[in-house]
């Protein structure tokens, strides 16, 4: 297997002096699903924001598909960074759809802008992805006319349309009503079955256990425990991991 993401000694300190990531290191191989769990404020989402260039790192090295985004805190040139950013797609917890665009345009416009596809080609790809998400009948609708689960499926289609090597999910069900959570988890499970490389930050423990190849438990900006789902979730060794998981009902 080839390495899609390599993170070594990643550090992030905010302007107020709070260090949210402390020497984080992990690798994600092609076709793997890395699940990241832990309490709020532990640094889970910040990792994704650093990988997707929404946050600037304080130190450490990030490589995506063998290309160096940042090494020992020093970033690659702008042109290289722009190429690297296309290798990952981030699905936000709050959808981040354009409210004034139709569903079809939300999925097609980024392809035209970023990949320089024609309108016809972009819309053909968009419709195929919307069919896959069960949303082809909603192509002409606007985000405000959709349920939260439907909006999140559109945002997944939008990310997939740019053909990233890895999908990053930041708490993809946290903004949804409980009854809508299942439909998003089903989509992500389907992607995992197709061997899509993914990093999933989630508070759904049963889902993390079922979908992940590897799990990281974070607390206080450090990786406290990592291993297979059966090791970390079913049989944690660290007391902090045990205390955190005790709050969840495991199947």
């Amino acid at each position: 297997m080839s390495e899609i993401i390599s993170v070594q000694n990643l550090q992030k300190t905010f302007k107020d002096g709070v260090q949210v990531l402390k020497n984080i290191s992990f690798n994600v191989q092609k076709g793997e699903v890395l699940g990241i769990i832990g309490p709020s404020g532990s640094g889970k989402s910040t990792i994704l924001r650093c990988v997707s260039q929404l946050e600037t790192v304080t130190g450490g090295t990030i490589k995506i598909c063998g290309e160096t985004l940042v090494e020992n805190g020093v970033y690659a040139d702008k042109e290289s960074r722009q190429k690297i950013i296309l290798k990952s797609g981030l699905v936000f917890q709050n959808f981040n759809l354009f409210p004034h665009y139709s569903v079809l345009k939300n999925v097609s416009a980024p392809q035209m802008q970023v990949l320089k596809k024609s309108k016809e080609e972009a819309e053909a790809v968009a419709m195929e992805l919307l069919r896959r998400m069960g949303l082809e009948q909603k192509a002409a609708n606007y985000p405000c006319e959709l349920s939260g689960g439907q909006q999140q499926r559109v945002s997944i289609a939008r990310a997939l349309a740019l053909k990233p090597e890895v999908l990053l999910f930041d708490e993809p069900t946290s903004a949804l009503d409980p009854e809508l959570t299942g439909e998003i988890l089903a989509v992500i499970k389907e992607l995992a079955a197709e061997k899509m490389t993914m990093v999933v930050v989630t508070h759904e423990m049963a889902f993390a256990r079922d979908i992940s190849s590897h799990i990281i438990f974070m607390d206080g900006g450090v990786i406290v425990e990592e291993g297979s789902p059966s090791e970390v979730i079913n049989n944690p060794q660290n007391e902090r991991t045990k205390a955190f998981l005790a709050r969840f009902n495991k199947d």
Side-chain angles (χ1 to χ4, degrees):
M1 288 191 295
S2 58
E3 212 163 70
I4 299 295
I5 295 179
S6 174
V7 172
Q8 302 300 321
N9 301 315
L10 181 63
Q11 300 169 51
K12 173 64 180 178
T13 301
F14 286 125
K15 290 180 180 178
D16 59 7
V18 176
Q19 188 176 12
V20 288
L21 296 177
K22 307 169 186 176
N23 293 316
I24 299 293
S25 297
F26 63 86
N27 297 312
V28 183
Q29 306 293 329
K30 185 174 179 63
E32 284 188 337
V33 179
L34 172 64
I36 305 180
I37 62 173
S40 298
S42 59
K44 308 184 300 297
S45 295
T46 304
I47 290 177
L48 298 189
R49 293 178 66 83
C50 288
V51 170
S52 59
Q53 302 186 46
L54 293 176
E55 293 283 0
T56 303
V57 310
T58 308
T61 298
I62 299 174
K63 295 182 180 181
I64 302 178
C65 298
E67 297 184 26
T68 301
L69 171 64
V70 56
E71 187 165 18
N72 297 323
V74 179
Y75 275 87
D77 60 83
K78 184 178 180 180
E79 184 178 350
S80 298
R81 295 199 308 272
Q82 288 175 333
K83 288 180 181 177
I84 292 170
I85 200 171
L86 293 178
K87 296 183 183 298
S88 67
L90 178 59
V91 177
F92 298 88
Q93 49 187 297
N94 292 315
F95 323 134
N96 279 30
L97 298 176
F98 294 110
H100 57 294
Y101 282 5
S102 68
V103 165
L104 180 63
K105 192 171 181 181
N106 262 286
V107 183
S108 61
Q111 299 176 64
M112 295 159 62
Q113 294 161 359
V114 177
L115 302 181
K116 309 304 180 187
K117 288 186 176 181
S118 68
K119 182 180 179 182
E120 293 74 20
E121 187 181 5
E123 288 187 347
V125 171
M127 284 305 300
E128 178 56 37
L129 285 166
L130 291 174
R131 272 191 288 274
R132 183 175 173 186
M133 298 292 159
L135 294 171
E136 66 270 33
Q137 302 302 321
K138 300 290 185 180
N141 289 80
Y142 288 84
C144 65
E145 300 173 309
L146 305 182
S147 70
Q150 290 170 333
Q151 290 186 61
Q152 190 62 294
R153 278 184 279 157
V154 174
S155 68
I156 293 172
R158 179 181 59 183
L160 287 170
L162 297 179
K163 298 194 179 301
E165 293 292 329
V166 57
L167 272 184
L168 311 173
F169 289 90
D170 185 12
E171 298 275 14
T173 61
S174 67
L176 301 178
D177 293 333
E179 64 267 24
L180 298 176
T181 295
E183 65 188 63
I184 300 305
L185 300 185
V187 169
I188 299 174
K189 282 185 177 181
E190 183 180 316
L191 291 171
E194 296 169 0
K195 296 300 180 183
M196 180 77 198
T197 309
M198 295 185 282
V199 180
V200 183
V201 169
T202 183
H203 59 278
E204 302 278 347
M205 293 303 113
F207 171 64
R209 181 194 60 207
D210 293 346
I211 196 176
S212 303
S213 317
H214 190 82
I215 285 185
I216 285 173
F217 170 69
M218 290 187 64
D219 193 18
V222 300
I223 295 175
V224 175
E225 190 164 352
E226 61 180 311
S228 69
S230 60
E231 290 169 337
V232 176
I233 292 184
N234 293 346
N235 190 32
Q237 301 301 304
N238 189 283
E239 291 303 319
R240 289 158 81 188
T241 316
K242 290 178 182 177
F244 174 77
L245 291 170
R247 297 186 289 127
F248 297 92
N249 292 322
K250 298 194 291 293
D251 294 337

